[in-house]
Amino acid sequence: MATNTLLQYLETTGEDAFGASASLGANVSNRRQVETFIQGSGTAIAVGDLVAFDIGETGPTRVVRVVKATTAAAGNALCVGVAHTASTNEGDRLDVVVAGYAATVKADASGVTSGNPLTASKATAATVTDRVAGDTSPAFGVALEAIGAGATGACWIYKQF
């Protein structure tokens, strides 16, 4: 979990080895920060799942291992980011978007509204929901598009550490 973000390359086109113009596509940074964690105990983690620190561990291992975010009210403060790669077994490595653009964030059964702040869902594990008036949970990010119930969509994840 110690990567550096020293240089941001924001060009969307470049040249291939023969000098022809080429799209850089997924290689553009989009100011996204991805960190590598280890899957903790529990069920498999899919791309787009909201993940949290595995507080079932002891010592510093608690901040190296992640699990699917729970529906517990206190779970929101432990959210790390959104799974960028999948992981099926405890001890597997997985990449997590901890800040910036995440293309496949899972919404809970109520869906999310474009432009609204997001928080971890208290109804469905590993998903996000609109932050409603009176909710004192910290905002986790913002929806960049409307996302239907149980679907995935693009969001901007706030850097938390």
Side-chain angles (χ1 to χ4, degrees):
M1 187 181 94
T3 60
N4 292 319
T5 307
L6 301 176
L7 177 67
Q8 296 215 10
Y9 189 74
L10 299 176
E11 297 296 324
T12 58
T13 59
E15 292 183 358
D16 64 14
F18 303 106
S21 181
S23 172
L24 299 176
N27 295 325
V28 178
S29 78
N30 292 320
R31 294 189 167 102
R32 174 175 50 208
Q33 182 179 355
V34 177
E35 299 286 348
T36 302
F37 290 90
I38 297 171
Q39 180 183 332
S41 59
T43 60
I45 298 171
V47 173
D49 281 347
L50 198 59
V51 297
F53 289 127
D54 185 357
I55 58 170
E57 294 290 334
T58 58
T61 307
R62 285 179 262 203
V63 295
V64 174
R65 291 180 172 260
V66 292
V67 294
K68 282 186 177 185
T70 67
T71 58
N76 191 53
L78 300 171
C79 290
V80 175
V82 177
H84 190 59
T85 57
S87 173
T88 55
N89 300 307
E90 183 177 348
D92 286 350
R93 292 176 182 238
L94 77 149
D95 292 335
V96 176
V97 176
V98 296
Y101 183 77
T104 54
V105 179
K106 290 183 182 174
D108 71 0
S110 60
V112 297
T113 307
S114 179
N116 277 5
L118 303 173
T119 188
S121 174
K122 292 176 181 69
T124 309
T127 63
V128 295
T129 190
D130 287 334
R131 186 169 179 237
V132 296
D135 188 350
T136 58
S137 300
F140 184 73
V142 63
L144 298 175
E145 61 190 6
I147 306 172
T152 62
C155 296
W156 183 265
I157 306 304
Y158 297 150
K159 185 171 177 71
Q160 299 185 70
F161 56 90

